Each structure stands twice: as C-alpha cells, then as structure tokens.
C-alpha cells in the first residue's frame, strides 16, 4: 500500500512536477477561492476562467503551445473582460452577473474557434483540460511565482478584502481603497486562473479555486481557518487525483477535480457547520 502511494512520485519526474505544480496552485488559488465564496462571486470565477481562453488561443495561434505567449495572452484577455464587464455594469442597466455571463459565452466561443483554426482536436483538449503531467520547469517557475505574488498581495490587502466581504458599503464610506481593492482582487483572480490554466486547462482551472473553499465552509468558521482547511483539501485532492490517474489511466485534471468534488459532497453531508447532518440530526442538548 505504501509503495502504491509513494512509488509514482519517487520513480517518475513527471509525477513530481505535476505534484509540485498542483501544490503551487492549491496554495495560491485556493485562498482566492475563499474570498470569491465570501463575496458571493464563485460563478464570477468560473466566468473569468473562460474569459482567458481567447487570449491563450491567440498566443497558441501565434506561437503554438508556447508557455509565454499563452500566459501573456490569457492575462490580457482576462483583465480586458474584467474591465469591460465592470464598465458595462456601471454605464448600463445590466447587472454584473448578466454582463459577466455574456462576456464568458463570447470568450468561450471565440477561444474554441481560434484554436480550431490552426490546431487539432488534441490541441483543443490541451487548452480546455490542461496537461498537468506535462509541466516543465518553466511552467513550474511561473506557478510558484504567481503563488508568491498572490500571498504578498493578500498580506497587503487582507484587511480591506475582509472588510469588503463583511460590509462593502462601509469600506466605501471610510476609505478610498474600495475600488483599488476590488480591481486588485480581480487581477489576482485572473493571475491564478492563468496559473491553473497551465496545468488544468480553462474548463478545470477554477475547480481547485472554488471546490476546496466550498468544502471548508462546512467545517470551520473564520477566514484564517477557512483558508487553511481549503488548502489542505486542495492538496489532498491533488495527491489523490494524481494517484488515481497513474494507477487507473484516468485523465489527471478531471480526476483531481472529481476528488475535490467528492470531498465537497462529503462535507455537505457530514460537515460540522451547516451540513445536512447538523441540520437534520442535531446533537442532543445536555440537561442538568
């Protein structure tokens, strides 16, 4: 049993690279997912994941499966969609969720079309679902760099981010940091989705951002504990998914996300905070 758990990582460099990449994504993207959940923006994260696709596809069209070109293209496209969506929301009667959904659908269609113009169905699957088992040293360096930037930014913006989650109107009234915090947070979302895109593709990158955060919500309260438990869930999902992929010849990205989904489902049923178990089978009160 021990050999089944350890041998894939000790014997194969590609498994070690995949594990390191997934840990970097888990440590960097999962705290962003916690704040997305607390700000009721989880579906915004999903929309933003698809918003990076046209830029990454243009990078692919120009340079093929080039890490640099696809990363730069994804960052530009993601930030453009975030800014355009916010602009449309502020100058028209359209709500933010509808605006983001419109740009998400346009981006997804445009990205698939651009990749299909030059690439094969294999290239399209690579862009949509990622190749976590093919991460090279450059990709790992990018993932670790984005994780480092994310934690530094969260350390600087932690208090206004927490306050915006609790009472955004109060933050606007007492500080001029509201807009800066909001757009800086969107930039962090885009950066971490681009990082996840390198390993898990545009359709799966948001999975390690949202599912561990949602699962953690059923076990602990408080932003610090939420972030800690969510990171543990993400890393556990990554290790288990990679092992399932290795031993049973499964696609690695979907396997990782499905493991996270199983943990989320178990948390919905068995968690200590607001789960089905606590709601319908409450603990008996002690009587004096």
């Amino acid at each position: 049993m021990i050999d089944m758990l350890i041998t894939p990582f000790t014997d194969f460099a590609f498994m070690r690279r995949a594990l390191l990449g997934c840990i970097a994504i888990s440590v960097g993207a999962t705290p962003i997912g916690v704040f997305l959940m607390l700000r009721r923006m989880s579906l915004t994260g999903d929309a933003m994941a698809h918003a990076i696709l046209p830029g990454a596809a243009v990078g692919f069209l120009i340079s093929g499966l080039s890490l640099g070109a696809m990363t730069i293209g994804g960052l530009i496209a993601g930030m453009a969609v975030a800014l355009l969506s916010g602009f449309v929301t502020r100058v028209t009667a359209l709500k933010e969720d509808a605006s983001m959904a419109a740009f998400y659908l346009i981006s997804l269609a445009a990205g698939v079309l651009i990749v299909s113009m030059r690439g094969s169905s294999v290239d399209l699957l690579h862009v949509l679902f990622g190749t976590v088992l093919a991460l090279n040293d450059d990709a790992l360096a990018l993932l670790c760099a984005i994780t480092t930037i994310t934690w530094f930014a969260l350390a600087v913006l932690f208090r206004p981010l927490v306050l915006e989650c609790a009472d955004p109107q109060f933050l606007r009234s007492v500080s001029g940091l509201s807009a800066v915090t909001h757009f800086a947070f969107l930039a962090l979302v885009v950066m971490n989705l681009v990082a996840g895109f390198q390993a898990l593709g545009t359709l799966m990158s948001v999975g390690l951002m949202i599912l561990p955060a949602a699962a953690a919500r059923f076990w602990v309260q408080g932003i610090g504990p939420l972030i800690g438990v969510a990171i543990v869930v993400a890393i556990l999902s990554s290790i288990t998914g990679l092992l399932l992929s290795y031993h049973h010849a499964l696609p690695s990205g979907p396997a990782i996300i499905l493991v996270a989904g199983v943990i989320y489902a178990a948390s919905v049923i068995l968690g200590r905070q607001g789960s089905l178990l606590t709601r319908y089978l409450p603990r008996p009160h002690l009587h004096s």
Side-chain angles (χ1 to χ4, degrees):
M1 177 63 72
I2 299 298
D3 287 341
M4 291 180 62
L5 298 177
I6 297 177
T7 300
F9 300 112
T10 57
D11 289 357
F12 299 101
F14 71 89
M15 288 292 289
R16 292 195 294 272
R17 288 194 181 94
L19 179 60
L20 178 58
C22 288
I23 290 174
I25 295 170
S26 300
V27 173
T30 304
I32 301 298
V34 170
F35 281 104
L36 281 172
M37 178 187 67
L38 294 176
R39 292 158 65 103
R40 296 178 176 87
M41 293 175 61
S42 298
L43 290 178
T44 299
D46 184 54
M48 293 301 299
H50 301 300
I52 68 176
L53 181 55
V58 170
F60 170 79
L61 198 63
I62 296 172
S63 303
L65 294 173
S66 165
L67 174 67
M70 295 178 72
T71 298
I72 293 172
L75 285 171
I76 293 173
M79 291 307 300
V81 168
L83 293 173
L84 285 172
S85 175
F87 175 77
V88 169
T89 301
R90 283 164 174 77
V91 301
T92 70
L94 199 64
K95 299 295 185 182
E96 185 175 17
D97 59 341
S99 174
M100 188 66 74
F103 281 106
Y104 142 66
L105 293 170
I106 295 169
S107 299
L108 181 60
V112 171
L113 182 62
I114 292 170
V115 174
S116 301
M117 288 171 59
R118 174 174 171 175
S120 65
S121 59
V122 174
D123 294 322
L124 182 60
L125 288 175
H126 169 86
V127 172
L128 293 179
F129 296 102
T131 51
V132 67
L133 297 180
L135 291 175
N136 56 27
D137 292 341
D138 291 337
L140 289 178
L142 175 67
L143 296 180
C144 293
I146 289 177
T147 297
T148 302
I149 293 171
T150 298
W151 274 90
F152 178 78
L154 287 177
V156 173
L157 297 172
F158 187 78
R159 292 186 67 181
L161 274 174
V162 172
L163 187 56
E164 193 174 36
C165 291
D167 192 345
Q169 296 296 333
F170 177 74
L171 180 62
R172 293 189 189 100
S173 66
V174 301
S175 173
L177 292 177
S178 178
V180 174
T181 301
H182 181 73
F183 285 107
F185 178 70
L186 287 180
L188 290 176
V189 173
V190 173
M191 288 175 58
N192 280 276
L193 288 173
V194 169
F197 160 79
Q198 304 297 335
L200 302 172
T202 58
L203 295 184
M204 297 287 159
S205 60
V206 74
L208 275 185
M209 186 178 284
I210 299 300
L211 283 173
R217 181 64 183 84
F218 290 101
W219 296 99
V220 293
Q221 293 181 334
I223 294 179
L226 276 173
I227 291 175
V229 172
I231 289 174
V232 171
V233 170
I235 293 175
L236 179 62
S237 301
S238 299
I239 295 172
T240 306
L242 288 172
L243 288 172
L244 288 173
S245 172
Y246 175 83
H247 289 297
H248 299 285
L250 300 174
S252 51
I256 292 170
I257 303 306
L258 281 176
V259 171
V262 169
I263 295 175
Y264 167 74
S267 300
V268 170
I269 298 171
L270 302 173
R272 298 173 56 191
Q273 306 285 340
S275 67
L276 294 177
L277 182 66
T278 58
R279 187 175 295 270
Y280 295 105
L281 290 174
R283 296 177 181 178
H285 293 286
L286 297 177
H287 298 282
S288 56

